[in-house]
Each structure stands twice: as structure tokens, then as C-alpha cells.
Amino acid sequence: MAEAQRQKTVVVGAGPVGSLAALYAAQRGHEVEVYELRNDLRDPSTTPLNFTKSINLALSTRGITALQNSGNDTLLDHVFDATIPMRGRMIHGRRPSGELYETAQDYDAHGRTIYAIDRAGLNGRLLDILEQLPNVTLFFNYKMTGADFRRRKAWFEVQDGPKDKKASDAPRERLPEIEIDFDFMIGADGAHSPVRHHLMKYVMMDYQQHYIDTLWCEFQIKAQTPEDVPGDDKDAAFRAKFAISPNHLHIWPGKDFMFIAIPSDDGSFTCTLFMPAAEFAHLEATQDDGVTLPAFFDCHFPGVTQLISPADLIASFRRNPHLPLISVNCKPYHFQASAVIVGDAAHAMVPFYGQGMNAGLEDVRVLFELLDKHATVESNSPAGEEDAASTNAANRALALAEYSALRVPDAYAINDLALHNYTEMRASVLSPTYRLRKFLEEQLSVHVPWLGWATKYSRVSFGNERYSEVVRKSEFQGRVLLGGLVGTVGVPVLSGLVFLLMHRRKVTGFLGSVARHAKYIAVWAANGFKR
């Protein structure tokens, strides 16, 4: 009997999530084709979609677990070689006396860390691995223009247009287009996903996108030049490259905006200013004076101008775009057995929980676990190739339906958490109430571990619980803590108030009696004490 034809899986998008999806499919023996709109992402000259580097990535347990399960033994070790552990936040500010301060807030009472990672490095490693696999083909500069998910066909425009500016200004001729067939398509093509756009024509998809009133702009704290470090002390030499602690996410919080800095392994920090659009517009209108922007930073982000020169601040503000932040929710994520969307294509989120990439990588792990669960293995099946393909498609349809049902509530949950965490990062980190709850939850986690208590952040970043379950448990813990505080503080206070009220009644009665008797005595005295 002829060998069964391998399943053809097409992945649209060669970012970290799409590349990992291609690796998972390739490890299962699929014939994999990856189509990417941009040039080879390993080429330093490739312009990212946002025309800037990106908000630095934080790799946490969910992403690590997905990489571990990829089937490639060297991937995780290579990734960790270029990461920096971050054990918590470092909050920067100025005291009323004018003195600068920084206060560390650990992420986890058990000492666990998240990892700062360079997106390009992770992406490059994944693409290197894919390129070496015989059943994977990479296509760069291919723009998806159409898809028929019933017939399992797609069309891509080959972006091989002119490179020089003069030629690009000329009227563009229609670019060549190719048609491809596939058994299964995975859309990992970002927040403005063409795969999702075409999927909407085949399913009744609920879709919502929301831009928050915040723009972001990128800056950089440059690496230091180490001096007077012993040649054999590699750790000291490494740390000497950093102007501030390399093991923290640095935050300059403000009421309506914030500035953050995330370390890179070359000693620099990628920094991001998050601020309402109106504030950006004001600074854009006044930036030519060369004074307003540094003064703004000195006022709201004390100490930054000692780390980034005023000239560099102004240059970055002028050169780097001021970009919006989008949040996307939709459902379902699939159509029959033909197509599914993952990562930002399914649930783009604001970056304030550091879970965008981690959630996307987790999507891939969960998706393929479900595909494996529903797959039918028939080593001695008498069925023909056509029957086997039909069975595989039916099983894949069941897996995709379960994937949508499972991941949609989790995506909605982490999207909401990411939005709420913006308030926490720019304001709540300074709140005594926030710090008290964090302290109580951490103490319960450390000293009464059998209760299973944990902070919401640790559940999100250091575990693989479903996001929706994390929210449910966190809300339960909040109610218990509130009830405990009411019981611990409120009951004694309430008892005291009851006692005072009762005592007041007695005192009031006694004083009233005295007043009445005093009046009687006064009248009696006026009558010469005669009855």
C-alpha cells in the first residue's frame, strides 16, 4: 500500500508564536510552509511592522513550558543563554526632601523570576531551527490576499517590488500572486491578522478591538563601559555594564503615565514611555525648545535624565514613533477543521502584564495537545488514504472546537488583567492598600502553604493555571481577605461602638436624672427647703 500523504500545515506569520507553531507541526511529521509578510526577520535591515524595535519581552513560566514541549532539546538552553532574570520591580521616585530613592518589590515570595529576553534573538533561534528541518519551507515577503477555507486554498502576493526610493515612488504594477493548497492553516499574523479577516467570512465571529488612551515611545539607557573590574571576575564585569540593577523591571510611576526600563544582555535598557495622547501632543508641540521634554522627565520621572542625556531623550522622542496600544477580543478562533488563529491574531493585549508572547506560546502548546488528544492512530488500518484524511479532518475539527471553547475565556481574562495592571504599575505600586494585600498573600503563601494561597501575579507568571481560573481564585482570596480584615478589625471596633452606645445611654440617663433632681433641688431651695 502506498505511503499516506503527509498533512500540509500552513502557518501565516513567522514571529515567535508562528515559528513555534511551525516547529510543533514539523515535529509531528507535517509538511510545513511558513509565510511571512516581512523580509527574513533575522536580517538586521528588516523593518519591523511597528517601525521600531518592540516593547521588550518578559518570558515567564507559560512561555517556558511551551518552549520545553516543542520537541527540540537545544531550544530552551539557547534561549536562556540570552536572558536576564528579573526578580521584581524597582520603583523610582523622589522624596519630599528632594532625595532620589528606589524601592524593590519582589515578584514572588519564593524567589522565582521572570526573564527579560530579546524578541529578535528568540525569533532568530526558532527560524534557524526551522530552516534546518527537511519538512519546513520558509517564505518571506509574501502578503496574504485571500483564502477559501472550505476548499482549503489561499492566495499570496509576492512582495518583490523595487528597493530604491525613486523606483518605489513610481506607480506600482500588480505584483505576482500565487495560489496554495493546505490541509490546515494556523494564523499567527498579529493584531491586524489577514487570516482572522478572511476567517470572519466563514464563521459568525464576535469581534471587538479597543484602543486605550495611551501611546508609547521607545528610549534607551546605554550600556556602561566597565572600569577597574578584575579580568577574572565575569559576574562583576557583566553587572558593571548596567547603569542600574539588571535584575529588575524599573518603573517610574505617575498618576496618568509611567516610564519603564527592561534590561538587555548587552548592558543597555530598552525604555518605554506610556502616556495619554494629549500629553504626547503637548510635548510634540513644544519639543523644539529643547527644554520642555527634559524638564517634563525631571518633574515626573526623577533620575531618568541622569541615565539618559537630555540630547538623547529629545532625539529618541523625535525619531521613534508614538504608537497606539490595541486590545483585541474575538470568538470563535477556528473554522471547522481548516483554520485556527493564535497569539495576537486571536487576542492582542496591552503589554502591562508581560503576557502577550507568553499567552501566544501557550496557545501553541494547548492547541497541539488537543490535536494530539483527538488524533486517531491506526497503524494497521485497512482504510484508504482518502478515508484516513477524512478521519483526521473530523478529529481536527473536534480539537479546534475544544480549543476555541477552552482558550476564549482565558484570553478575555488575561486581556482584562493586562488592562487593569496598567493602573497597578503606574499608581497602585505606591498604594499602602496594594502593598498590604500583597504582603498578607505572600505571608500566607510562605507560612501556610497547605492553603494553596498565592498572589494573582505569581499565579499568572509562575504557573500554567488557566487565566480564567486565576481570576476566579484571586477574587475568592480578595473576598476572604476582606472578610478576615472585617473580622479581625471590624468586630472589635463594632463591639467597642456597641459598648460605647450602651454606656452612653446609661451615662445620658444618669445625667438626665441628675438634671431633673438638680431642678427639683433648685426649686426646693428657692422655697426655703420647705416641702
Side-chain angles (χ1 to χ4, degrees), residues 199-384:
L199 199 59
M200 287 179 175
K201 303 170 187 176
Y202 292 86
V203 297
M204 293 187 293
M205 181 181 287
D206 292 333
Y207 173 77
Q208 179 186 44
Q209 72 173 37
H210 172 64
Y211 285 98
I212 67 171
D213 183 24
T214 297
L215 303 179
W216 65 278
C217 180
E218 189 176 277
F219 299 81
Q220 186 183 55
I221 298 174
K222 295 178 180 177
Q224 303 275 83
T225 302
E227 296 179 359
D228 301 324
V229 177
D232 57 347
D233 193 340
K234 294 182 180 179
D235 184 60
F238 177 76
R239 289 184 170 277
K241 297 190 299 182
F242 296 91
I244 47 181
S245 167
N247 299 121
H248 290 89
L249 166 65
H250 294 265
I251 302 177
W252 284 260
K255 182 180 178 182
D256 298 313
F257 35 70
M258 71 177 180
F259 189 76
I260 68 170
I262 300 180
S264 299
D265 62 352
D266 64 356
S268 66
F269 287 80
T270 298
C271 307
T272 312
L273 170 63
F274 296 99
M275 196 165 61
E279 294 285 350
F280 267 104
H282 172 71
L283 290 177
E284 288 167 358
T286 58
Q287 64 167 311
D288 290 338
D289 62 17
V291 175
T292 303
L293 185 68
F296 176 86
F297 269 79
D298 280 335
C299 176
H300 297 286
F301 312 123
V304 169
T305 53
Q306 297 177 20
L307 301 169
I308 307 174
S309 71
D312 286 343
L313 274 177
I314 294 169
S316 295
F317 187 82
R318 291 174 176 173
R319 179 180 64 251
N320 295 333
H322 307 156
L323 299 168
L325 292 170
I326 189 173
S327 179
V328 170
N329 277 320
C330 66
K331 61 179 180 180
Y333 294 155
H334 75 288
F335 173 69
Q336 296 179 358
S338 300
V340 69
I341 49 176
V342 296
D344 284 355
H347 46 68
M349 66 191 71
V350 294
F352 304 118
Y353 226 116
Q355 286 296 301
M357 178 189 69
N358 289 285
L361 298 179
E362 185 178 58
D363 284 346
V364 174
R365 176 183 66 82
V366 172
L367 171 63
F368 279 89
E369 284 179 355
L370 292 173
L371 289 168
D372 292 343
K373 168 186 166 183
H374 287 276
T376 301
V377 179
E378 299 179 356
S379 55
N380 295 307
S381 172

Side-chain angles (χ1 to χ4, degrees), residues 416-457:
D416 288 343
L417 287 177
L419 285 166
H420 294 156
N421 210 47
Y422 184 34
T423 302
E424 178 176 311
M425 292 177 74
R426 60 186 166 86
S428 299
V429 290
L430 301 175
S431 163
T433 304
Y434 164 81
R435 286 181 287 183
L436 175 61
R437 173 171 176 173
K438 184 174 185 292
F439 171 78
L440 291 174
E441 290 187 325
E442 288 178 341
Q443 293 305 304
L444 288 169
S445 173
V446 171
H447 298 295
V448 199
W450 54 268
L451 285 177
W453 209 276
T455 64
K456 181 166 58 182
Y457 187 91

Side-chain angles (χ1 to χ4, degrees), residues 40-60:
D40 191 330
L41 304 178
R42 294 164 292 182
D43 185 343
S45 67
T46 298
T47 303
L49 289 179
N50 283 333
F51 304 102
T52 183
K53 286 173 65 178
S54 60
I55 299 172
N56 255 24
L57 301 178
L59 182 66
S60 59

Side-chain angles (χ1 to χ4, degrees), residues 136 406 523:
V136 177
L406 194 68
V523 172

